[in-house]
Amino acid sequence: MRRFLSLFMQDLVVVSRNALMWVVVGALVVIIMVVLFLIPADYDLEDTYYFYDASKTGYLEEEARRDGLEDEFILGSLEEIEEAVQADPGSIGIYFSDSGERPQITILHYGTISDQNLNLIAAALEEPLRPYYDLETGDGYRVEYLRPFSAPVPQNQNAVPPLLAFEVIVLGFLMAAVLLFQEKADGVNRAYRVTPGGTSPYILAKGAVFSLIGLFYGLLMIMPTVGVSLNYPALILALILGCFFYTCLGLVVAAFFNNISEWLFVGIALLMVNMTPIISYGWPSFSPAWITYIPSYPIIFGLREILFPTGRDLTSLYIYLAAAAILSYLLCHLVVHFKLMREGR
Amino acid sequence: MIEVKNLYHDYTGKGKYAVMDVSFQIDEGEIFGFLGPSGAGKSTVQNIMTGLLKLQRGEVLYGGKKVSEIRRAFFNHIGVSFEHPNLYSKLSGLENLRYYAGLFDVPTRPPLELLELVDLREAANRKVAAYSKGMKQRLVFTRALINNPGILFLDEPTASLDPVTAAKVKNIILQKRSEGATVFLTTHNMYTAEEICDRVAFLDEGSIVAMDSPRALKLKYGEQSVRVEYYENGNVKSKLYFLAREEDRRALQEIIDSKEVQTLHSQEASLEQIFIRLTGRELSA
Amino acid sequence: MKAILNLLRQDLATALRDNIVLYMIVSPLLLALLVRLFLPSVEATGLTIALSGQVGDDLTAALEDYAVVEIFDTDEEVVARVEQNDAVPGVILEEGEVVLLFEGNEPEAIIEAGKAVLTAVTAPERLFEYEARSIGESSSLFREILILSLIMLALLLGGVASGFNIIDEKDTRAVSALAVTPLGLHRYIIARTLGAVIVASLVTTGTALILSGTAINYLLLTIAIAASTLIIAALTLTVGGFANNQVSAIAVIKVLMPIYLALPIVSLFVPERWQLIFYPLPNYWQFQMLRSIFFGPQITGSFWMALLLTLLLSWALLLIMLRMTRGRLMPAGGG
């Protein structure tokens, strides 16, 4: 215990004197400002649609205006639709006419859209227009919510779980590497090896330091942006276990490199791969199996559930994080023992 | 007692040995010196003895116990001073010692007291990054004493130190011996070895070429010599001749007869000269 | 010139010995490859529906026209699938009635889509005829962000790598040895910048080849890289000048990356009337240059205007950086 505490205090002091900590403090302030004042509460990430209703009845335009669509998206000709889509290649143009036997929709777009998605667009346009044509609205089903339909989370607050996952929790991945390379540059590992210290206190001390820093960082980020009525036990557990896990991973990766300039490019690449679940967070329909295996995937959704509860059981998250922390510690122990606690042949 | 038997070490794995068949023993309370030039294998032997390098071939025994059987508790009783300072640059001298002390299970000496020993008291709260090379070396040395070790491993403890501080360090080493500590010291400074070592071993290209007390080595291998300085072609030249050798006597006579001699001094054999004689190399090569 | 080339040769020898070149080039290219592989599947993402096997073949076939269907044996399995993190509605049969299941935390668009699909498949007849017309190559916002981020990252890496060389020389005091040669500060900076541009060119071109193949104009890309030289020089000076060692370099890079990479991307979400906030940033115009190469000038206006502004503003930035890092690169006296 004494060894652990000594190493813990030492690492805490060394980290606190690192320029990176000041950057982290600055980043925290910037993040809070951005979330509170720059990200709008109701930003829409969905596709942009431009409409031209060339029908005699004008039902589509009527329905679009009733839905609150702004004038800039309701255009006056096919050419205008084409121009709008060309200027904004991510958008979709809808040209509606009823000159034939049945109403016709032409969907203008860039790239390829699958038949399924085209049918989906058509179905979405059909549904509100059915009553206008006295067609059955297809009420041969009922809707059920497994949990009460939860109120939408403001988009600016919705940004907090990813910020926690990719800025706070992975801080240990970066900082553990920085600390390790600092130690290599100072050569202090050699001095440590001739003490009773051992591998476990070395890892646990760093894990504890970055878990503590991550916890404070996370709480300081959440309270001004989301509020103070939080599920603190769940949040603290998630932050601590998550930070510990990434700290161990950071040590594992960094142990294989001699200095930061070697580590940097691989480290950045790994951090970017780790960030890919943000795609699923923003577009939940995209969740291929491989993305669900990335550790930050359950973490980011777990954090969202903790901050914006919908009644989902979080036991699986806790088990996942605990298992991840234990396994990463064991792997870290193996790697650190053979790569750092020994010298050459 | 520390016993080292038939030690070999190959860094490359290709049969090129940095240490070859090294054997010696160190009695309790003895200061044992390893003398040799850079690259001779001194630090390699020390690193194997302290467990920093894996034992490949041979034996290292501490009181009959093999080094491979040693557990972490062993490190409570040794102190290691490294040739190249390895300190936390972002911590002060005092903090470096304080946190290091926290790693031991045995009582440790107060850090300030240790800093006082080597005149670092006033720099105690300054970050190590601001220390000079000599200050760092002193701090590394005192760190090795913090756990009151029974065995000290000192790698070039007086390197980068001015004569006054070097003398202080040597006195501390002698003090430790008088307290019963065993000291293993590696150096290429023959004066340090002569001054404080009970016995020295000459190490060259990984092998021990001679081992005994400095006095015994001088008696056995030392020769009286004469250093002569003379003018030749407008330049002053210096040569050393061993009087026991016929050819050296003749050469000396020739210089006296034919050159303008400036100075002529007789010298007692030094360890450096003995080393040169035995290995053909200089200690500071 | 000889001194500059000599320094470049030295950098190459050092980098090769350290495997740095390998990591520096391979990592971004691997990332580009990953993006190339999974981007089409991201863009093609649509609705997924979990279906109980009891709903019948007709309904299953009808739903497959609208969504990817995952079939499960029991209703409990459908419920478990709906409760997973992604937004997948479920369809089960309960006492003969079709039930559309949502967890309750799905985005509204998914809920509306699910309802629209069930309405369409349970309705006796379709309302519309429809056709779809593609008017150009795929260009979603998501694709833009990913591709341009990787290209900008590749350009940044050149400056970072060279910055690390400067730091290494400061750390080991080797720069003092350089300071007492005829090299001089200006040639030193030129050598470091050239090294950075070479690395950036290699990585950027490789990344572009992987992401876009032959679909872009590589002559324009080469011109864009050349026009980025001054920004790369400024990046090199920022990393090498403000950091004294590798560890503090990470702190500098952590500040630099959001400013260099994130701000131009943020500009994509900012309305037109607020774009002028970004006008003073040379990396904003560099970003517009690259956008017009990869996604067509119709989005951004003239490539040449963006190039001109990149050059002018990066020249100003470089002058500022030179002033701020004076004395921090080489011991005073290096002329």
Side-chain angles (χ1 to χ4, degrees):
Chain A
M1 191 60 175
R2 183 184 166 196
R3 273 197 280 280
F4 165 77
L5 283 173
S6 187
L7 283 169
F8 174 82
M9 285 310 300
Q10 176 185 272
D11 286 343
L12 195 61
V13 171
V14 171
V15 164
S16 67
R17 292 179 189 169
N18 195 296
L20 197 50
M21 284 316 297
W22 291 107
V23 173
V24 166
V25 170
L28 175 64
V29 173
V30 169
I31 285 169
I32 292 172
M33 293 293 131
V34 165
V35 170
L36 287 178
F37 303 116
L38 281 186
I39 302 177
D42 57 356
Y43 186 81
D44 193 356
L45 280 174
E46 299 304 323
D47 289 328
T48 304
Y49 287 84
Y50 294 98
F51 295 92
Y52 170 48
D53 188 341
S55 68
K56 294 188 278 289
T57 54
Y59 290 144
L60 182 66
E61 186 171 330
E62 188 180 324
E63 192 58 34
R65 289 193 191 282
R66 185 183 307 191
D67 217 24
L69 200 64
E70 289 168 16
D71 284 346
E72 67 180 288
F73 300 106
I74 301 173
L75 304 175
S77 68
L78 185 57
E79 290 71 34
E80 281 182 35
I81 294 257
E82 284 184 3
E83 272 172 27
V85 173
Q86 278 184 350
D88 182 2
S91 65
I92 292 172
I94 305 292
Y95 168 67
F96 180 61
S97 79
D98 57 5
S99 54
E101 267 184 40
R102 285 164 68 179
Q104 270 191 312
I105 283 186
T106 304
I107 301 171
L108 295 167
H109 59 90
Y110 261 83
T112 47
I113 296 182
S114 65
D115 288 343
Q116 283 170 338
N117 284 344
L118 289 170
N119 285 331
L120 203 54
I121 295 169
L125 291 166
E126 264 192 25
E127 197 199 1
L129 295 184
R130 285 182 164 269
Y132 290 98
Y133 291 89
D134 293 325
L135 291 178
E136 283 185 43
T137 52
D139 53 1
Y141 69 95
R142 76 164 196 278
V143 177
E144 222 174 80
Y145 295 93
L146 295 174
R147 276 185 278 283
F149 182 68
S150 49
V153 176
Q155 286 289 11
N156 58 332
Q157 290 185 344
N158 205 28
V160 174
L163 286 166
L164 283 176
F166 303 125
E167 174 68 23
V168 174
I169 287 182
V170 298
L171 186 68
F173 183 91
L174 176 64
M175 292 295 303
V178 166
L179 199 60
L180 194 149
F181 290 122
Q182 179 83 61
E183 287 172 356
K184 281 192 177 185
D186 287 340
V188 291
N189 282 332
R190 296 194 93 207
Y192 183 76
R193 281 185 212 127
V194 293
T195 69
T199 309
S200 296
Y202 179 85
I203 298 170
L204 290 172
K206 284 179 173 52
V209 164
F210 295 119
S211 295
L212 189 68
I213 292 174
L215 178 64
F216 276 109
Y217 189 15
L219 288 174
L220 287 172
M221 186 186 291
I222 294 168
M223 285 174 176
T225 53
V226 176
V228 296
S229 300
L230 304 166
N231 181 350
Y232 284 102
L235 186 61
I236 290 169
L237 191 62
L239 286 173
I240 286 178
L241 288 176
C243 290
F244 184 84
F245 166 65
Y246 275 100
T247 302
C248 289
L249 278 189
L251 286 172
V252 166
V253 173
F256 287 96
F257 297 93
N258 293 318
N259 53 54
I260 280 189
S261 43
E262 278 186 20
W263 168 90
L264 183 69
F265 307 101
V266 173
I268 288 180
L270 286 173
L271 284 172
M272 289 182 82
V273 169
N274 183 66
M275 277 184 74
T276 46
I278 201 169
I279 305 168
S280 299
Y281 188 81
W283 289 271
S285 303
F286 179 75
S287 288
W290 62 267
I291 239 183
T292 64
Y293 298 140
I294 297 173
S296 54
Y297 181 87
I299 290 174
I300 195 175
F301 286 101
L303 285 169
R304 187 175 72 177
E305 182 62 31
I306 291 172
L307 292 180
F308 313 112
T310 63
R312 185 189 280 190
D313 183 14
L314 288 169
T315 309
S316 59
L317 174 72
Y318 304 140
I319 294 172
Y320 178 85
L321 284 174
I326 292 168
L327 287 172
S328 63
Y329 168 76
L330 291 172
L331 177 65
C332 186
H333 195 283
L334 198 67
V335 171
V336 166
H337 185 75
F338 284 102
K339 296 290 287 183
L340 297 181
M341 296 297 159
R342 290 199 182 181
E343 239 173 74
R345 285 177 52 85
Chain B
M1 184 199 283
I2 303 171
E3 292 172 87
V4 174
K5 297 180 183 175
N6 309 111
L7 203 62
Y8 284 81
H9 195 82
D10 173 11
Y11 282 108
T12 62
K14 291 173 185 169
K16 196 168 184 304
Y17 290 96
V19 170
M20 243 180 335
D21 200 15
V22 165
S23 299
F24 59 91
Q25 68 187 47
I26 310 173
D27 294 325
E28 206 170 313
E30 184 182 14
I31 300 178
F32 185 85
F34 245 28
L35 202 63
S38 298
K42 310 187 295 295
S43 297
T44 304
V45 170
Q46 180 167 302
N47 288 340
I48 295 170
M49 292 173 73
T50 53
L52 284 173
L53 274 178
K54 195 175 169 187
L55 181 64
Q56 288 177 355
R57 191 168 141 198
E59 272 188 328
V60 177
L61 301 159
Y62 289 92
K65 216 172 174 182
K66 290 183 184 175
V67 73
S68 51
E69 291 167 12
I70 282 164
R71 294 287 161 256
R72 296 230 70 86
F74 168 73
F75 294 107
N76 280 313
H77 307 294
I78 72 166
V80 181
S81 172
F82 296 88
E83 183 182 3
H84 301 293
N86 44 11
L87 302 152
Y88 284 94
S89 53
K90 289 200 184 297
L91 298 179
S92 65
L94 183 63
E95 285 168 336
N96 265 279
L97 290 182
R98 185 184 293 148
Y99 294 126
Y100 198 72
L103 299 174
F104 295 94
D105 303 313
V106 297
T108 53
R109 291 176 73 169
L112 277 174
E113 181 189 295
L114 284 172
L115 291 172
E116 186 83 53
L117 271 181
V118 289
D119 296 333
L120 281 177
R121 181 75 162 84
E122 285 181 15
N125 293 311
R126 225 185 292 163
K127 279 194 203 159
V128 163
Y131 279 18
S132 68
K133 198 172 167 192
M135 290 166 78
K136 287 179 188 174
Q137 193 58 51
R138 281 182 267 159
L139 185 60
V140 165
F141 174 72
T142 55
R143 188 179 61 188
L145 306 176
I146 201 152
N147 55 319
N148 298 299
I151 306 173
L152 267 172
F153 293 91
L154 306 175
D155 196 347
E156 304 284 1
T158 57
S160 310
L161 298 183
D162 60 85
V164 172
T165 316
K168 271 196 178 152
V169 166
K170 287 178 221 171
N171 284 336
I172 294 169
I173 296 171
L174 289 168
Q175 172 69 26
K176 288 301 292 180
R177 182 187 59 183
S178 70
E179 291 169 6
T182 306
V183 180
F184 180 83
L185 180 130
T186 60
T187 183
H188 63 254
N189 185 321
M190 59 130 183
Y191 298 109
T192 302
E194 271 188 84
E195 260 182 86
I196 63 174
C197 291
D198 298 311
R199 281 190 304 141
V200 297
F202 287 163
L203 197 69
D204 184 43
E205 294 187 345
S207 298
I208 292 179
V209 295
M211 180 165 54
D212 211 325
S213 67
R215 176 156 175 75
L217 284 170
K218 283 183 194 178
L219 284 173
K220 188 174 176 186
Y221 297 106
E223 295 173 14
Q224 272 207 307
S225 60
V226 172
R227 184 167 287 283
V228 58
E229 289 180 345
Y230 59 92
Y231 265 123
E232 188 172 71
N233 299 327
N235 296 318
V236 175
K237 292 199 170 165
S238 174
K239 280 214 171 103
L240 186 71
Y241 294 107
F242 292 97
L243 296 178
R245 300 182 202 169
E246 173 76 34
E247 61 273 23
D248 278 18
R249 286 201 301 274
R250 266 205 297 268
L252 177 61
Q253 189 62 55
E254 200 180 314
I255 286 173
I256 292 170
D257 290 341
S258 63
K259 307 286 180 191
E260 194 184 332
V261 172
Q262 298 297 302
T263 63
L264 197 65
H265 290 113
S266 65
Q267 296 176 315
E268 193 190 41
S270 68
L271 287 183
E272 171 128 29
Q273 287 162 0
I274 296 169
F275 190 89
I276 294 169
R277 192 188 154 192
L278 290 174
T279 65
R281 292 149 60 92
E282 291 182 13
L283 271 172
S284 52
Chain C
M1 196 58 187
K2 179 185 161 196
I4 292 170
L5 287 175
N6 193 61
L7 205 53
L8 280 172
R9 265 201 298 271
Q10 177 186 291
D11 284 348
L12 183 63
T14 317
L16 285 172
R17 244 162 252 178
D18 266 347
N19 293 328
I20 289 176
V21 165
L22 187 69
Y23 298 132
M24 200 190 306
I25 292 178
V26 167
S27 299
L29 295 182
L30 267 179
L31 267 178
L33 194 63
L34 280 173
V35 167
R36 175 76 194 242
L37 287 172
F38 84 75
L39 192 54
S41 61
V42 175
E43 291 182 309
T45 297
L47 188 66
T48 301
I49 294 177
L51 201 60
S52 163
Q54 281 136 32
V55 300
D57 293 341
D58 289 344
L59 189 57
T60 304
L63 285 170
E64 281 172 345
D65 285 342
Y66 295 89
V68 171
V69 165
E70 295 177 11
I71 299 176
F72 298 90
D73 291 332
T74 65
D75 291 357
E76 288 72 31
E77 285 173 353
V78 172
V79 167
R81 180 65 183 91
V82 170
E83 283 182 332
Q84 284 180 17
N85 284 323
D86 53 0
V88 171
V91 175
I92 59 174
L93 211 58
E94 214 168 73
E95 293 165 1
E97 190 182 11
V98 174
V99 179
L100 176 61
L101 290 173
F102 293 105
E103 192 181 357
N105 61 358
E106 289 87 348
E108 199 168 325
I110 298 290
I111 293 176
E112 295 303 321
K115 287 180 184 173
V117 167
L118 264 290
T119 301
V121 300
T122 54
E125 58 180 310
R126 295 290 302 273
L127 172 59
F128 296 147
E129 279 176 12
Y130 79 89
E131 65 160 353
R133 190 153 48 101
S134 174
I135 61 176
E137 288 289 322
S138 177
S139 179
S140 65
L141 184 65
F142 183 69
R143 171 179 281 261
E144 262 193 68
I145 292 173
L146 261 189
I147 289 179
L148 292 173
S149 296
L150 285 178
I151 298 292
M152 296 278 285
L153 183 68
L155 288 166
L156 172 68
L157 284 181
V160 164
S162 224
F164 268 106
N165 281 341
I166 296 175
I167 289 164
D168 203 39
E169 280 162 354
K170 286 201 295 189
D171 217 6
T172 57
R173 308 266 196 277
V175 69
S176 300
L178 292 176
V180 292
T181 68
L183 178 67
L185 180 63
H186 290 119
R187 273 184 285 190
Y188 179 72
I189 292 173
I190 291 169
R192 289 275 160 261
T193 304
L194 264 181
V197 169
I198 290 169
V199 168
S201 307
L202 284 171
V203 181
T204 305
T205 309
T207 304
L209 275 169
I210 291 173
L211 290 172
S212 301
T214 53
I216 62 164
N217 184 330
Y218 281 90
L219 176 61
L220 285 184
L221 183 64
T222 307
I223 294 170
I225 294 171
S228 301
T229 300
L230 297 176
I231 294 184
I232 294 172
L235 289 171
T236 303
L237 288 179
T238 307
V239 175
F242 289 109
N244 289 323
N245 53 55
Q246 295 196 349
V247 170
S248 52
I250 296 295
V252 172
I253 291 166
K254 195 158 161 61
V255 173
L256 201 59
M257 272 185 81
I259 297 172
Y260 177 76
L261 268 181
L263 281 180
I265 291 168
V266 163
S267 73
L268 292 174
F269 299 93
V270 169
E272 195 62 43
R273 63 182 181 278
W274 292 109
Q275 288 289 313
L276 46 87
I277 297 172
F278 302 95
Y279 284 5
L281 300 173
N283 50 318
Y284 170 79
W285 294 106
Q286 181 191 39
F287 185 74
Q288 301 304 329
M289 254 199 314
L290 295 168
R291 263 186 100 195
S292 78
I293 294 172
F294 284 88
F295 299 105
Q298 67 277 3
I299 316 169
T300 62
S302 164
F303 164 84
W304 301 105
M305 178 59 83
L307 181 142
L308 183 64
L309 286 163
T310 303
L311 283 170
L312 287 172
L313 290 167
S314 53
W315 178 244
L317 178 66
L318 182 60
L319 288 175
I320 295 169
M321 281 298 130
L322 276 168
R323 189 148 187 90
M324 288 174 78
T325 55
R326 185 181 290 280
R328 299 178 73 104
L329 294 169
M330 218 180 221

